[in-house]
Amino acid sequence: MPGGAVLTATSDVNRVEAPVTLKAYLMCAFAAFGGIFFGYDSGYISGVMGMNYVITLLTGLDPKTTPSSQFALPSWKKSAITSILSAGTFFGALMAGDFADYIGRRITIILGCIVFIVGVILQTASASFGLLVAGRLVAGFGVGFVSAIIILYMSEIAPRKVRGALVSGYQFCITIGLLLASCVDYGTQNRTDSGSYRIPIAIQMAWAIILGTGLFLLPESPRYYVKTDRLDKAAEVLSRLRGQPRDSEYIQQELAEIVANNEYELQLVPQGNYFDSWFNCFKGGLRNRSSNLRRTILGTSMQMMQQWTGINFIFYFGTTFFQELGTISNPFLISLITTLVNVCSTPVSFWAIEKVGRRPLMIWGALAMLICEFIVAIIGVTDGKNPAAVKAMISFICIYIFFFASTWGPGAWVVIGEIFPLPIRSRGVALSTASNWLWNCIIAVITPYMVGTDKGNLGAKVFFIWGALCTCCFFYSYFLIPETKGLTLEQVDRMLEECTPRASSKWVPHSTFAADMGLAEEKSADQTIEHKV
């Protein structure tokens, strides 16, 4: 399209996207692979901190002469090792928004893979507390790049009818990563050499290499090309994604809608300089339900709420928590079972998130989780030393994991990829992801002090805290989370302008941005228009 482009605009809300193709499924499925090393990196550390060799290496304690109740990493070391990754990821996610706008979504993810590999090399080489922490900090920056932009990338290339299911695949890959980490930890736990922790750490490099290499073969996001005013490239990419000729009406109509929506948003909030582009995320009043400020608060608070469910308590500190209960012979096996439940439960969301919808899934998921958590807490404080009661606790923890994995786990990631307009989408998703990692870090820092036998020693009582926070998630879901099922990203913009979250499930598209912006004439449903590239 040198010099100019002919875009076929439409006022038909059902003609703004081409039919779904197998190619689109496969591209998104591969992009979701990024969740594996996100999940693996989050999961392996729980088992490593419970390994005899690692405890001896980092504390100098001898398992043969030290009482079992005292043979453990100090709470401050657990806190530092676990939380430092989240701290790095927080800053990595914030930086990723800038890179995604300047060098593209795809290249930013590849860059994140490279940074992550450097961090893994440092961790693998470590034989001391300091280098292990430094390596996790560097790896955190890489995870931040990938976790922030992979959701953005998938949301922008996935067809609307299956976008929720495909983005849920990212959460599914996270659960697979957690399961693989538990399996590797379980297999190396009894080694009496440095391989006990170096093998679980080093394996991570494989996931980053596979994702980074594969992304060289995938296309850039068409919405990135629209944002950078390269419509010829956008049409070419849409053609690859939708399996249609680049001059077909489907491609031209979808491109016209993306262009019109971008121009509409730019009229509302002009971009300005670099600092303005960040300030734009916070423009608009709280009373304006479609303002950028409201969307940014929604995205960041939703990721905060996902962490408030307490799920990472199980995956970060599950092994050491089960050890401290004192009635479980093999805590590593229990951790393996909980991650297996997580993996098997997540595919339920592939169907439910498109059939039931985002909003109901989040509401009922929060209700189910809070019930399970209060039951676990009550059993723990009333009969927590009884082996039969502990089995009941573990059963309800598994049920709680099922409801998280099929609702809030994927749901929060799906929604943040859908609610931001194109001019601020990369930064909005980056801020939301950074919020996830900020609260991830906060929980990782404080939890060892709450449950550690040398500190707060709350034990099972910690589930009263998670249950109370899940109660907040329930009310949050009911009042604030909109229904975005079955809408294009551009239609989500319109829906947020016209209705409240509680009424969003009844909203239906009634016009296109192309028609409203004058890109389509009134004389017919489809016309050809001239648009400068």
Side-chain angles (χ1 to χ4, degrees), residues 20 56 69 204 230 315 321 381 416 507:
V20 180
T56 300
S69 60
Q204 303 174 93
R230 287 181 278 177
F315 296 126
F321 173 74
V381 298
I416 68 164
W507 186 88

Side-chain angles (χ1 to χ4, degrees), residues 398-474:
C398 289
I399 296 171
Y400 149 68
I401 291 171
F402 164 80
F403 282 109
F404 174 85
S406 57
T407 61
W408 270 84
W413 292 109
V414 170
V415 174
I416 68 164
E418 298 175 330
I419 59 174
F420 294 102
L422 181 56
I424 67 163
R425 185 170 296 141
S426 63
R427 286 173 169 79
V429 174
L431 285 168
S432 301
T433 306
S435 171
N436 179 291
W437 287 106
L438 173 64
W439 284 97
N440 195 308
C441 181
I442 291 171
I443 290 171
V445 168
I446 66 176
T447 300
Y449 293 95
M450 292 194 296
V451 300
T453 53
D454 60 335
K455 297 296 180 183
N457 198 24
L458 287 179
K461 291 191 287 290
V462 74
F463 281 92
F464 280 120
I465 296 175
W466 305 134
L469 292 175
C470 259
T471 303
C472 296
C473 293
F474 172 74

Side-chain angles (χ1 to χ4, degrees), residues 356-380:
V356 178
R358 284 67 157 156
R359 178 178 162 81
L361 214 60
M362 306 284 265
I363 293 172
W364 295 110
L367 179 62
M369 285 190 289
L370 72 89
I371 291 172
C372 290
E373 287 173 325
F374 279 126
I375 290 174
V376 170
I378 292 168
I379 294 174

Side-chain angles (χ1 to χ4, degrees), residues 272-322:
N273 59 34
Y274 171 79
F275 294 104
D276 287 337
S277 66
W278 275 105
F279 291 144
N280 285 342
C281 295
F282 306 96
K283 287 186 177 178
L286 286 173
R287 293 184 179 180
N288 179 0
R289 53 180 170 242
S290 67
S291 70
N292 289 352
L293 174 62
R294 284 275 290 260
R295 298 189 201 208
T296 299
I297 291 174
L298 175 61
T300 53
S301 61
M302 191 179 307
Q303 290 295 311
M304 175 186 74
M305 289 290 176
Q306 190 200 57
Q307 290 302 305
W308 278 15
T309 62
I311 192 66
N312 278 330
F313 168 71
I314 302 297
F315 296 126
Y316 282 165
F317 303 105
T319 302
T320 53
F321 173 74
F322 294 134

